Amino acid sequence: MTARDLADDGAFRIGATVTYDPAVNELRVGDRAVRLRPQTGAVLKHLLLHPDRLVSKDELLETVWPGIAVTENSLAQCIAEIRRELGPENRGAIETAPRLGYRFCQMPAAPDGRADNAQAAASDRIELAGLIPKRQGQNHRLCGVAAVAAMLLIAGLTSWWQRSTDAIPRAAGVGQPSGLSMAVLPLAVDAADPAQVELGARITEDLTRDLAQIPGMQMAAPSSTIDYRSGMANPRRVGRELGVHYVVEGRVERAAGGFFVDLSLIDASTGTPRWSERVDMSTGMLDVDPRDVNGRLTHILRSELIESEVARFQPTAPGRADAGDMALRAWLLWHRASPEDNAQAQVLARQAITLDPESLLAWRVLAGALLLDRIAVWNDDLDGVLQRAEVAVVRALTLNPRKPQINAIFGAIMAVRGRYEEALAAFNAELALGLRHEPEVHEWRGITYLLMGKPGQAVAPLETAIWLSPRNPRLSYLWRALAIAYLHAGDIHHARDCAWTAVRSPRPTAQGYETLAAVCTLAGDPDCAKEAISELLRIAPGYSIERVKKEISSRTSTYLVKRQDYLEALRIAGLP
């Protein structure tokens, strides 16, 4: 059995006695299981995806720490951890090519002899998701003599490569700050609480990694911020010495039943806080695991950063248009999720593509903005806008399917088209890239299950999406989708709670009041339903049953039955 084999649950089989499950980052050796550090798991997964190939150190650094300046020592520590946990009997599975990189060599097969079939199944899954090009052959055996030849060939280029890349920085440089650049300072903790010390260090490291996924972002490496403690360092000095525009600092505090995180986003050029808040990490009415806090904190910071950057962004002077700047501004506007911003995002994305047809970010934004037009019914040409979104996302997939959101957008389009298995495969591909903190993946997994007539399976991913993005401008949509999932599952009590939460969100939507009216009618509360319809028509004059019918639907029989009940409830409530 090969390193590429997958068990039924999606875990990698490594030889006869070892498995690695990337979903939970767990390495199991015989009867022993260990949870790897996130970066260590990412290194192992990348090596497993490319068995018997010499993977350069630069490739691993760029894959695991994109846009972050880290030393090769960080990579060496990950390799050492993998070898240690594999144990002496499997330690030779990872081969080191001095100064070049690492190779995961094939290991002895398990006695059931399913190697070829499992390897083909793994490849099919990855190729379906667009992760790697289809292989032309199955012979990857570079270990041994062939490996020596490859090493000699690469070694002959090493000195030239080092000379040509020494001057290229991997993160924001010291001195003048890059426009979109940031340093996350080590969070302040109670030094007498070892668990809190570990939690604070993990949050700092993971925030740095996750925020680096923002397009154009340059993050200062954790090793460069270790001497600057939150609350004790002058942000202007930090920005000047690390060459960053923003500084994030904060504190972790334990409380009864949970903990709080105080965070501040500071403009390092002036030392002025752009945003500061005490974040309650309790889950409230959501049934989610609160231990995975980093995705939630990342998206709170990202939302505030987007607003700060939109306000600060200076358009390129006429005659000096830059595709990268246009695409970045389009990305910022798209995430604000208003009709006006979404329309402007499409204009800028198309202009960027005209200047640079290979602009991955521009194609990604164009696909996402067109999809948002469809799901929010902001465009009368619903079929046409969906078709254009699909063309754009397929183009993005051909450029690089490993970037955040691309597989999620493709999966959402497949869900709208009723191709649910393709949608779920795309979402699994996004999660396999380690992008579990992207709320869009969980949102659309939930919506897909709902459209499939499986509302019970829709609840958990929708709750995860809400937990991850409490500052999401589309939060009202998320609570509304969760209300419909509970309604279809027959839980009218939770459906009503979620519908009320949808209209009490910071940016309540017309669709939220629509769902509240239907739920109240079905719960036998006509007064609540009529008040919801009254408010709906106040904020969206002309809203009608025909408008509701244009929303995403399904041909699944169980879904359609619930959908008809929903529409009838709106008629009873008085929606014209």
Side-chain angles (χ1 to χ4, degrees):
M1 190 163 293
T2 69
R4 289 287 300 279
D5 288 345
L6 292 173
D8 292 339
D9 58 1
F12 288 91
R13 292 189 184 278
I14 308 172
T17 61
V18 183
T19 60
Y20 171 63
D21 187 349
V24 294
N25 205 21
E26 182 180 85
L27 182 69
R28 182 174 291 275
V29 183
D31 295 330
R32 178 173 58 88
V34 62
R35 187 72 61 87
L36 299 177
R37 292 185 304 128
Q39 290 78 12
T40 301
V43 170
L44 176 58
K45 183 175 71 175
H46 194 72
L47 291 172
L48 289 171
L49 286 171
H50 304 89
D52 289 340
R53 176 168 79 80
L54 180 61
V55 181
S56 71
K57 293 181 179 180
D58 281 341
E59 180 179 337
L60 286 167
L61 290 170
E62 183 61 32
T63 299
V64 180
W65 295 273
I68 305 175
V70 298
T71 66
E72 291 184 3
N73 183 58
S74 298
L75 176 58
Q77 290 179 6
C78 291
I79 295 294
E81 181 181 347
I82 294 170
R83 285 173 170 158
R84 182 177 66 251
E85 300 302 342
L86 284 173
E89 67 277 15
N90 299 312
R91 193 167 297 173
I94 297 181
E95 178 183 281
T96 301
R99 302 187 304 278
L100 301 179
Y102 302 93
R103 177 184 296 105
F104 198 102
C105 295
Q106 302 286 15
M107 296 173 62
D112 60 9
R114 294 183 298 160
D116 293 338
N117 290 338
Q119 184 171 357
S123 298
D124 288 344
R125 265 188 238 187
I126 295 169
E127 287 154 11
L128 174 64
L131 300 183
I132 60 172
K134 191 168 181 67
R135 296 195 308 263
Q136 299 301 314
Q138 298 295 329
N139 185 10
H140 297 284
R141 299 184 180 279
L142 294 179
C143 296
V145 177
V148 174
M151 289 170 59
L152 290 174
L153 176 62
I154 299 173
L157 301 174
T158 300
S159 59
W160 170 83
W161 174 256
Q162 289 175 338
R163 287 194 303 273
S164 64
T165 58
D166 280 347
I168 301 176
R170 292 182 59 85
V174 176
Q176 293 298 319
S178 167
L180 191 54
S181 53
M182 178 184 293
V184 179
L185 305 189
L187 270 61
V189 295
D190 181 357
D193 184 347
Q196 194 176 146
V197 171
E198 180 181 355
L199 176 63
R202 179 165 58 84
I203 290 176
T204 302
E205 183 177 0
D206 288 352
L207 275 178
T208 300
R209 183 196 66 237
D210 293 342
L211 288 168
Q213 298 297 327
I214 295 176
M217 175 64 77
Q218 295 184 352
M219 297 295 299
S223 59
S224 67
T225 63
I226 196 168
D227 293 330
Y228 305 97
R229 312 299 297 183
S230 287
M232 301 177 64
N234 184 317
R236 297 182 67 181
R237 175 188 164 217
V238 174
R240 186 170 59 251
E241 294 182 356
L242 296 183
V244 295
H245 190 87
Y246 294 101
V247 171
V248 174
E249 62 178 19
R251 169 180 294 277
V252 178
E253 292 186 9
R254 287 195 176 275
F259 60 92
F260 294 88
V261 179
D262 292 315
L263 283 179
S264 295
L265 177 68
I266 302 171
D267 187 328
S269 63
T270 62
T272 304
R274 304 290 298 193
W275 165 81
S276 183
E277 186 172 322
R278 184 176 178 84
V279 181
D280 183 359
M281 301 309 295
S282 62
T283 63
M285 63 186 291
L286 299 174
D287 185 19
V288 296
D289 187 346
R291 292 174 296 178
D292 187 11
V293 302
N294 300 297
R296 184 176 174 88
L297 296 176
T298 294
H299 283 279
I300 290 174
L301 279 168
R302 189 174 81 170
S303 297
E304 300 303 326
L305 182 65
I306 285 171
E307 293 305 311
S308 179
E309 281 293 295
V310 168
R312 191 177 69 86
F313 200 98
Q314 296 297 320
T316 305
R320 299 181 59 188
D322 179 86
D325 286 346
M326 285 184 175
L328 178 57
R329 181 161 177 78
W331 185 88
L332 294 168
L333 292 171
W334 169 44
H335 278 82
R336 298 182 83 185
S338 73
E340 300 77 18
D341 289 324
N342 200 58
Q344 183 62 18
Q346 293 177 47
V347 171
L348 290 170
R350 288 191 175 97
Q351 290 175 352
I353 290 167
T354 299
L355 292 171
D356 178 11
E358 302 297 303
S359 174
L360 175 64
L361 179 58
W363 284 111
R364 187 202 325 180
V365 171
L366 182 58
L370 288 166
L371 174 64
L372 186 55
D373 265 357
R374 170 61 188 90
I375 62 177
V377 196
W378 289 339
N379 192 306
D380 292 333
D381 182 15
L382 299 181
D383 292 335
V385 77
L386 186 64
Q387 178 62 37
R388 294 192 291 276
E390 185 171 352
V391 170
V393 78
V394 168
R395 178 64 173 140
L397 283 167
T398 62
L399 290 170
N400 187 347
R402 299 186 63 81
K403 289 298 182 181
Q405 300 175 318
I406 296 177
N407 282 289
I409 294 170
F410 179 77
I413 293 171
M414 293 300 100
V416 176
R417 291 200 179 284
R419 292 154 62 175
Y420 303 127
E421 295 303 326
E422 291 177 67
L424 293 175
F427 302 140
N428 289 338
E430 184 99 353
L431 295 173
L433 294 173
L435 302 172
R436 67 184 187 280
H437 293 334
E438 290 295 333
E440 294 86 359
V441 185
H442 302 285
E443 172 190 354
W444 277 98
R445 282 185 71 233
I447 292 173
T448 301
Y449 283 125
L450 181 59
L451 295 173
M452 294 172 73
K454 300 178 179 180
Q457 291 179 250
V459 169
L462 287 171
E463 289 191 328
T464 299
I466 292 169
W467 160 258
L468 285 173
S469 53
R471 299 294 185 277
N472 192 329
R474 297 184 60 253
L475 192 61
S476 179
Y477 287 99
L478 295 177
W479 278 108
R480 182 247 189 163
L482 183 59
I484 293 175
Y486 275 121
L487 184 63
H488 281 215
D491 189 340
I492 193 71
H493 173 73
H494 278 98
R496 186 169 179 171
D497 286 346
C498 292
W500 271 113
T501 306
V503 301
R504 290 167 177 163
S505 298
R507 288 173 54 178
T509 61
Q511 289 90 335
Y513 284 102
E514 167 205 310
T515 297
L516 179 61
V519 170
C520 286
T521 298
L522 293 169
D525 189 346
D527 292 337
C528 163
K530 292 186 183 302
E531 289 177 9
I533 292 293
S534 175
E535 183 64 18
L536 167 59
L537 295 177
R538 185 188 69 80
I539 64 176
Y543 207 95
S544 66
I545 292 288
E546 290 305 312
R547 159 64 176 74
V548 177
K549 290 180 179 179
K550 294 180 181 179
E551 295 177 356
I552 298 169
S553 188
S554 167
R555 297 187 184 91
T556 307
S557 59
T558 52
Y559 179 92
L560 287 175
V561 169
K562 297 294 185 180
R563 180 70 171 168
Q564 288 303 315
D565 291 343
Y566 183 91
L567 293 173
E568 182 60 27
L570 289 175
R571 291 190 185 93
I572 294 172
L575 186 65

